[in-house]
């Protein structure tokens, strides 16, 4: 018999061999500053100021023992994950820099990036649920997220309970008690509380603090019993696409995992599709392991584009937010407008209270209710000239769409009615154009209704 060779103790030199400097004289550097350089050392890439795009499917090991060490990290045999670059389904320099920078915004220990927001959401859920489990989710969710729970996970014996976004602590306790009883009957557990706040397309907010308090009281915390792996845990995950990363930091309010369609504000130019999640390493590890198996990591070119986008995300979001406030001030008093679903003009005291505790800005995506129904809404949409008629949001340009007939078409009519996704709801995502030009465009399109 021959002896096994120990893996090497010294990890392969990486793009960032030294600890990152994130403070100066005790001052914590702000995300806007860290977006320019965190996670990248030009000296390791011929002095290139910006990271090159690493188009490679695999990475050469410096020795067989080093390769063994890296696989120990990838497969979980060694604590702490991969310490070296191995194979582009697992990791890559562009993706790792992006993940370091994305995590900064949410004050998260770790982050993972994916080929789309939906890839992130599907892999996240699959990493945590098993047969017999129950997912508790807020409503509405983005239609594909809701469909994945109701139509795909149900094929594997996973059930769900949903609650309206604005639910109170008492209502949340009741929903979780129901879910706990369902799980007990099915031989499973409540595996995840999945929130979307603000919700697409209504902008309804979920009280994250109340959800955490209810989870801790009814289920006994995030680790719902002794155990390791994902068998006995119930994280709170939240899709923060509409306000993140700037205006809502859900980890501060009790969420465990933050989810993004990076296609939206983070990408910000309507020229890429990607997704991300961030949170404590212990919550990321099971998801990383499944991503390693399935693939779905963002590609290097898209990761590089997202690095460029992150440098301006604060500027873009600030400008879009200011524009939206001006446009909504105009729309609010317009005779052809029946109301607005804009977080800067909330009418409901419960929603206002959640906003005041959780959000630092109203965002630039909102719904406008046109007087009339589908015909009047379509006439408005068809007459816009600056604003483009397209789904998606968070780009530099203004977009308008009709959720009931487009993104949420697959949602059954009764559910649409219950969630307030009406035929006269037009969703607008305001960009960074001149605000008075946008107002002129909305004015002339409304005149044709
Ligand atoms: N979450 C929200 C709130 C969304 O609006 C979307 C897409 O519109 C997604 C998730 C899915 O993201 P992606 O299109 O990047 O897969």
């Amino acid at each position: 018999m021959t002896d096994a060779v120990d893996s090497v103790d010294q990890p392969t030199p990486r793009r960032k061999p030294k600890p990152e400097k994130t403070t100066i004289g005790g001052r914590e550097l702000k995300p806007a500053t860290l977006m320019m350089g965190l996670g990248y050392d030009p000296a390791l890439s011929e002095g290139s100021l910006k990271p090159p795009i690493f188009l490679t499917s695999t990475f050469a090991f410096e020795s067989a023992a080093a390769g063994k060490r890296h696989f120990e990290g990838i497969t979980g045999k060694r604590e702490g994950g991969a310490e070296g670059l191995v194979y582009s389904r697992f990791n890559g320099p562009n993706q790792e820099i992006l993940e370091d920078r994305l995590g900064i915004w949410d004050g998260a220990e770790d982050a993972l990036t994916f080929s789309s927001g939906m890839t992130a959401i599907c892999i996240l859920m699959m990493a945590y649920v098993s047969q017999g489990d129950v997912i508790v989710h807020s409503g509405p969710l983005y239609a594909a997220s809701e469909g994945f729970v109701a139509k795909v996970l149900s094929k594997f014996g996973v059930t769900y309970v949903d609650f309206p976004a604005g639910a109170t602590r008492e209502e949340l306790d009741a929903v979780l008690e129901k879910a706990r009883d369902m799980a007990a009957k099915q031989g499973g557990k409540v595996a995840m509380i999945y929130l979307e706040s603000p919700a697409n397309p209504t902008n309804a907010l979920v009280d994250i603090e109340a959800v955490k308090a209810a989870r801790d009281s009814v289920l006994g915390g995030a680790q719902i019993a002794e155990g390791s792996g994902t068998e006995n845990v119930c994280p709170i995950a939240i899709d923060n696409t509409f306000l993140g990363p700037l205006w809502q930091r859900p980890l501060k309010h009790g969420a465990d995992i933050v989810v993004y369609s990076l296609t939206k504000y983070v990408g910000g130019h309507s020229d890429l599709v990607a997704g991300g999640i961030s949170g404590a390493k212990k919550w990321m590890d099971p998801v990383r392991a499944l991503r390693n198996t399935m693939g779905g990591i963002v590609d290097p070119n898209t990761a590089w584009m997202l690095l460029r986008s992150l440098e301006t995300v604060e500027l873009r979001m600030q400008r879009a937010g200011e524009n939206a406030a001006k446009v909504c001030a105009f729309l609010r008093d317009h005779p052809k407008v029946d109301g607005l679903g804009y977080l800067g003009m909330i009418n409901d005291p419960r929603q206002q209270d959640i906003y005041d505790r959780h959000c630092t800005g109203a965002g630039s995506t909102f719904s406008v209710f046109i007087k009339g129904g589908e015909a009047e809404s379509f006439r408005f949409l068809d007459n816009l000239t600056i604003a483009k008629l397209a789904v998606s949001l968070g780009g530099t340009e203004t977009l308008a769409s009709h959720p009931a007939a487009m993104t949420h078409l697959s949602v059954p009519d009764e559910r649409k009615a219950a969630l307030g996704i009406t035929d006269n709801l037009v969703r607008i995502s305001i960009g960074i154009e001149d605000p008075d030009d946008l107002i002129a465009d909305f004015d002339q399109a409304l005149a044709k209704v």
Side-chain angles (χ1 to χ4, degrees):
M1 202 179 120
T2 52
D3 289 337
V5 179
D6 282 343
S7 57
V8 286
D9 282 335
Q10 285 308 310
T12 322
R14 299 288 298 271
R15 60 186 163 77
K16 46 171 188 177
K18 298 175 238 108
E20 293 283 347
K21 206 164 165 51
T22 57
T23 55
I24 288 182
R27 179 189 159 79
E28 289 273 336
L29 299 179
K30 293 283 189 310
T33 307
L34 296 172
M35 288 309 107
M36 307 309 165
L38 184 101
Y40 174 66
D41 181 353
L44 294 175
S45 293
E46 309 278 2
S48 173
L49 181 68
K50 294 292 179 189
I53 303 176
F54 290 86
L55 289 176
T56 182
S57 60
T58 194
F59 296 86
F61 304 136
E62 62 277 26
S63 66
K68 181 176 179 183
R69 179 186 177 89
H70 296 339
F71 267 93
E72 287 168 350
I74 289 285
T75 56
K77 282 201 167 166
R78 185 189 281 266
E79 292 262 305
E83 290 173 18
L85 297 164
V86 176
Y87 182 66
S88 294
R89 198 178 75 236
F90 308 145
N91 57 13
N94 299 105
Q95 293 92 327
E96 290 196 346
I97 301 166
L98 173 63
E99 288 167 356
D100 285 353
R101 292 188 193 172
L102 184 66
I104 290 288
W105 287 97
D106 285 304
E109 192 185 1
D110 200 2
L112 295 169
T113 52
F114 299 83
S115 59
S116 73
M118 281 316 303
T119 313
I121 292 164
C122 296
I123 296 184
L124 167 67
M125 289 183 180
M126 282 191 288
Y128 280 99
V129 296
S130 309
Q131 190 177 10
D133 287 351
V134 179
I135 290 186
V136 177
H137 74 76
S138 61
L141 296 182
Y142 176 61
S145 308
E146 214 163 283
F148 184 70
V149 174
K151 295 184 194 144
V152 181
L153 291 179
S154 58
K155 292 198 286 188
F156 304 97
V158 177
T159 58
Y160 70 93
V161 188
D162 66 305
F163 62 88
T168 59
R169 172 66 203 281
E170 293 68 35
E171 289 164 338
L172 289 163
D173 278 1
V175 168
L176 288 180
E177 279 158 17
K178 179 178 165 191
R180 187 191 55 199
D181 295 347
M182 276 168 64
K185 281 200 195 106
Q186 294 167 191
K189 63 183 183 300
V190 182
M192 176 174 282
I193 303 175
Y194 185 85
L195 316 175
E196 186 175 298
S197 182
N200 183 356
T202 58
N203 260 345
L205 295 170
V206 181
D207 188 340
I208 309 166
E209 289 165 358
V211 170
K212 178 179 160 39
R215 191 266 319 262
D216 291 354
S217 129
V218 177
L219 303 178
Q223 309 282 336
I224 58 183
E226 286 303 307
S228 58
T230 60
E231 289 119 51
N232 293 298
V233 297
C234 179
I236 299 169
I238 174 168
D239 185 331
N240 194 33
T241 297
F242 268 40
L243 284 188
L246 208 58
W247 292 307
Q248 183 170 249
R249 305 262 164 92
L251 298 184
K252 286 192 185 156
H253 302 287
D256 302 300
I257 300 166
V258 188
V259 178
Y260 289 103
S261 167
L262 300 175
T263 314
K264 316 298 184 207
Y265 285 98
V266 175
H269 297 73
S270 304
D271 55 6
L272 60 85
V273 175
I277 62 171
S278 43
K281 201 171 170 327
K282 69 170 181 182
W283 297 120
M284 297 296 105
D285 280 345
V287 190
R288 190 195 319 273
L290 190 56
R291 189 187 67 174
N292 283 348
T293 302
M294 295 181 65
I297 189 169
V298 68
D299 70 88
N301 189 67
T302 305
W304 186 93
M305 288 171 73
L306 283 162
L307 290 175
R308 171 182 259 215
S309 292
L310 276 174
E311 295 185 1
T312 58
V313 69
E314 186 169 275
L315 282 180
R316 285 184 283 104
M317 290 185 79
Q318 271 166 353
R319 166 69 181 233
E322 286 161 18
N323 279 0
K326 289 180 187 160
V327 169
C328 286
F330 163 78
L331 290 174
R332 177 172 48 185
D333 301 323
H334 198 286
K336 303 250 173 90
V337 170
D338 227 4
L340 289 175
Y342 170 56
L343 290 173
M345 297 170 182
I346 299 175
N347 297 319
D348 174 81
R350 167 87 181 129
Q351 286 287 304
Q352 187 66 52
D353 171 49
I354 302 174
Y355 178 85
D356 292 342
R357 283 184 285 117
H358 291 23
C359 312
T360 54
S364 81
T365 301
F366 57 88
S367 31
V368 51
F369 298 90
I370 305 293
K371 277 208 174 116
E374 189 183 81
E376 288 76 11
S377 304
F378 279 16
R379 205 158 306 132
F380 170 62
L381 287 167
D382 287 338
N383 281 290
L384 290 169
T385 57
I386 298 175
K388 298 286 178 292
L389 174 50
V391 298
S392 203
L393 56 112
T396 46
E397 68 291 296
T398 296
L399 299 181
S401 64
H402 190 273
M406 298 170 192
T407 44
H408 291 68
L409 184 67
S410 61
V411 178
D413 286 346
E414 326 76 72
R415 182 149 176 81
K416 267 193 263 198
L419 296 172
I421 305 172
T422 52
D423 280 342
N424 69 338
L425 187 164
V426 169
R427 193 187 70 189
I428 312 267
S429 164
I430 295 289
I432 62 170
E433 303 94 336
D434 180 88
D436 294 323
D437 289 349
L438 290 174
I439 290 170
D441 192 27
F442 289 126
D443 197 21
Q444 64 78 28
L446 282 168
K448 303 210 171 89
V449 172

